Amino acid sequence: MTDRRPIVGGNWKMNTRRSSARELATAVVSSMADASPACDVVVIPPLVYLADVAEIVRGTSVRLGAQNVYPAADGAMTGEISIGMLQDLGVDTVVVGHSERRHEIGEPDALIAAKLRAVLESGLTAILCVGETLDQREGGDHERFTLGQLDSALAGLDSISADRLVIAYEPVWAIGTGMTATPADAQSMHAAIRQWLISQYDASLASSIRIQYGGSVKAGNAAELFAGPDVDGGLIGGASLNAEDFTAIVRAAAAPASLAQEGRLS
């Protein structure tokens, strides 16, 4: 039995407009109040709508996340946003190293590592994304590559807080493609990530860090994907844009935790 509290993040990516962002946030907050899930829920809207969504989630159980940050405190970095700015808006979670920023925007490993360090040192929670491409999966290099991303991002961080680091395994080939890793594939990689954490830190810390799955998670497949003992919720893309679907996914993540709390899982 694990006492890790699942975490589900809704990454809205470059979607919504101001009115629809407010409507979606309102619907999610309403659904979570009814669901009372045994897991953490984070909504991650586009940066320009953070203030609007912050107003709606403030004082509720729903947490506010940001899709990006720059590691410098202030300065001449046109178009970037600092941790202090995010904190002003009530953000407590930041996504770092998402595959779209790695592969589409071209963010290098060194920048991702700097962002991660800045987020953790600020006291915010970081969702660190790692995962392989289809070529790497088919070539059998998926585990080495994914663990290498972890090694690069966490290099030099001798002391980390299990409460403020979340790892999201997101196979690149399963994001927005309709393809989904099998539950066995997801659990296998999550277990490998946890073993890597044990080798770098210790078993107690490794057993406390939450590892999400991200990659075409839907209401219909969430329960099966989240059933793995090392799968602690999900980082949800397209399905998070529908409050009803997102709520069903949250319920699927919360169900194993609720059973564990009742002593019915071992």
Side-chain angles (χ1 to χ4, degrees):
M1 181 175 71
T2 177
D3 58 1
R4 291 189 302 273
R5 181 177 173 85
I7 179 168
V8 174
N11 179 14
W12 299 357
K13 305 190 180 185
M14 197 173 70
N15 293 295
T16 69
R17 295 295 184 266
R18 187 180 185 188
S19 60
S20 58
R22 292 181 66 90
E23 289 169 4
L24 179 55
T26 299
V28 170
V29 166
S30 177
S31 296
M32 292 308 108
D34 176 63
S36 299
C39 72
D40 291 332
V41 177
V42 188
V43 291
I44 312 168
L47 291 172
V48 293
Y49 302 133
L50 279 172
D52 288 281
V53 175
E55 177 186 330
I56 292 164
V57 304
R58 188 177 296 117
T60 75
S61 64
V62 178
R63 296 163 55 182
L64 183 64
Q67 297 178 18
N68 190 29
V69 72
Y70 193 76
D74 290 291
M77 292 302 300
T78 301
E80 296 295 340
I81 186 167
S82 71
I83 285 174
M85 294 172 183
L86 296 180
Q87 289 173 317
D88 269 353
L89 293 173
V91 168
D92 74 0
T93 301
V94 183
V95 177
V96 177
H98 192 281
S99 63
E100 290 156 2
R101 297 206 63 84
R102 292 180 188 265
H103 298 285
E104 301 297 328
I105 308 299
E107 288 191 359
D109 289 344
L111 178 57
I112 291 167
K115 288 183 177 185
L116 179 66
R117 179 182 291 273
V119 171
L120 294 177
E121 288 180 350
S122 74
L124 299 182
T125 295
I127 297 177
L128 172 63
C129 301
V130 296
E132 80 281 2
T133 65
L134 183 59
D135 286 345
Q136 289 157 345
R137 164 65 63 168
E138 292 180 339
D141 198 37
H142 52 289
E143 187 172 307
R144 184 199 66 80
F145 179 82
T146 299
L147 298 182
Q149 288 182 322
L150 274 179
D151 191 42
S152 172
L154 292 169
L157 289 173
D158 298 325
S159 177
I160 58 177
S161 169
D163 292 335
R164 293 191 291 105
L165 175 64
V166 177
I167 295 170
Y169 167 56
E170 45 161 21
V172 179
W173 49 271
I175 299 173
T177 64
M179 300 173 64
T180 308
T182 67
D185 287 339
Q187 167 56 27
S188 176
M189 185 62 84
H190 283 228
I193 290 170
R194 205 170 302 284
Q195 281 300 125
W196 183 90
L197 291 168
I198 291 173
S199 72
Q200 299 297 309
Y201 299 100
D202 59 65
S204 176
L205 178 66
S207 68
S208 300
I209 292 175
R210 294 175 292 182
I211 307 173
Q212 299 175 303
Y213 172 77
S216 294
V217 179
K218 300 177 177 61
N221 64 15
E224 192 175 17
L225 285 165
F226 297 163
D230 290 294
V231 181
D232 307 311
L235 183 60
I236 315 303
S240 70
L241 298 173
N242 180 291
E244 184 177 345
D245 289 346
F246 186 62
T247 300
I249 292 169
V250 169
R251 289 182 185 275
S258 298
L259 290 174
Q261 291 170 4
E262 295 170 14
R264 286 186 280 165
L265 286 181
S266 59

